Amino acid sequence: MRKIWFLIGGVILLVAVVVALGFFYFGSSDGGSTGSEGCPPAPSTHSAGNAQINAQAIGKGFDRLIVIHVTDKKSGAPLHGAKVKVQGTMTCPHFMPLIEKNLREASNGTYKGDYNLFMPGQWALSIVVRSEQGEATTSSLPVRVKPGS
């Protein structure tokens, strides 16, 4: 009977140590908050490709209007008829990709669409623009969603 009590005590002690180590190694660096206060801002990237992308995430809180202006790098002319896709990825306090969404062309070279970033944290919006000729340009837009906003 004594061996059973030692076994039970050992299991309880092992579980307590594993839980304590989990909080130590995987705990939040911002004092346990579920928000984005301890997250470094994601860097914005320049447009890589034949087009120039200028992007904004308009609004506060979770629901944002994504507005992207696309111009040709050489001529500066608005890029009409492109296929523009956006995918949000939470980068902090943890990693979580969202679905990719197509944006609609609202005017010549301007593409818009609603996107829901449904949790507080640091997000990166990955943008892919594909011209009618099939040339792709990529960029990224950092967006911070604050708790309670």
Side-chain angles (χ1 to χ4, degrees), residues 37-93:
E37 299 85 18
C39 298
S44 142
T45 61
H46 297 287
S47 302
N50 294 329
Q52 178 64 41
I53 298 172
N54 293 312
Q56 295 178 296
I58 299 172
K60 292 187 178 189
F62 305 122
D63 294 318
R64 302 294 175 107
L65 174 64
I66 309 303
V67 179
I68 297 176
H69 303 284
V70 185
T71 56
D72 182 85
K73 275 189 179 177
K74 290 180 184 176
S75 69
L79 191 61
H80 172 68
K83 292 188 182 344
V84 179
K85 295 181 180 187
V86 175
Q87 181 179 15
T89 302
M90 177 181 269
T91 59
C92 188

Side-chain angles (χ1 to χ4, degrees), residues 108-139:
N108 195 16
T110 301
Y111 300 82
K112 295 181 179 182
D114 295 322
Y115 207 96
N116 185 282
L117 305 170
F118 59 87
M119 290 180 68
Q122 184 64 42
W123 294 84
L125 296 178
S126 299
I127 304 161
V128 178
V129 175
R130 190 164 300 276
S131 71
E132 290 179 321
Q133 294 76 26
E135 299 168 333
T137 300
T138 61
S139 187

Side-chain angles (χ1 to χ4, degrees), residues 99-111:
I99 62 169
E100 188 175 76
K101 184 168 184 176
N102 294 319
L103 302 184
R104 70 185 186 290
E105 188 168 12
S107 62
N108 195 16
T110 301
Y111 300 82

